[in-house]
Amino acid sequence: MPEFDAQVFVCNTVTGDDNHCGDKGGFAVRERFNELLKEHDLLGKVMISNTGCTSQHRFCETEQCSVIVYGPGADKGGTWYIVTPDNVEEIVTQHLKNGQKVESLRNDRLSVKLG
Ligand code: FES
């Protein structure tokens, strides 16, 4: 069974209304993760998945989307971010590689309490 150190969910839900993540930055953010995970040799260590709407798109500006990270240093219910493609490198190098949440990009409007 494959085992990963972290999992990243990128929302790229498209509705065609210019309001949801896939109509804003979702696809470019996902592409940037793909590039940087490869560049940082994290492809077999970080699982990346698309996710559906979690109602956070209302906080996303153009070029942004909702991202959730589970893994080293993440909150128990996942660490929720709102990011642009330009923010992805900081998440990869700071959070995924070093286990330090990127406080400036966190989306604190929603939290999930587990256990
Ligand atoms: S479309 Fe991404 S959170 Fe709703």
Side-chain angles (χ1 to χ4, degrees):
M1 176 192 317
E3 191 171 291
F4 295 89
D5 297 330
Q7 184 165 18
V8 177
F9 289 97
V10 178
C11 180
N12 50 21
T13 299
V14 173
T15 63
D17 65 356
D18 294 335
N19 196 29
H20 290 72
C21 294
D23 300 307
K24 296 178 181 173
F27 286 95
V29 166
R30 172 63 195 259
E31 182 58 32
R32 191 65 181 134
F33 267 111
N34 290 348
E35 292 168 0
L36 288 168
L37 292 179
K38 184 174 183 182
E39 193 176 305
H40 289 270
D41 199 25
L42 293 171
L43 281 181
K45 299 173 185 160
V46 176
M47 183 177 185
I48 184 158
S49 307
N50 298 336
T51 188
C53 178
T54 54
S55 299
Q56 301 306 292
H57 57 270
R58 58 195 156 157
F59 305 118
C60 299
E61 304 291 335
T62 304
E63 297 189 10
Q64 292 181 321
C65 77
S66 178
V67 168
I68 310 164
V69 172
Y70 294 91
D75 296 330
K76 196 172 181 181
T79 301
W80 295 60
Y81 291 112
I82 291 177
V83 302
T84 68
D86 288 343
N87 300 140
V88 174
E89 187 156 22
E90 203 171 1
I91 292 182
V92 170
T93 57
Q94 187 174 319
H95 195 156
L96 296 174
K97 289 188 85 171
N98 293 318
Q100 302 291 317
K101 289 175 269 194
V102 183
E103 296 297 335
S104 62
L105 300 176
R106 285 188 65 186
N107 173 9
D108 290 327
R109 297 171 186 92
L110 185 145
S111 67
V112 179
K113 292 184 179 172
L114 300 175

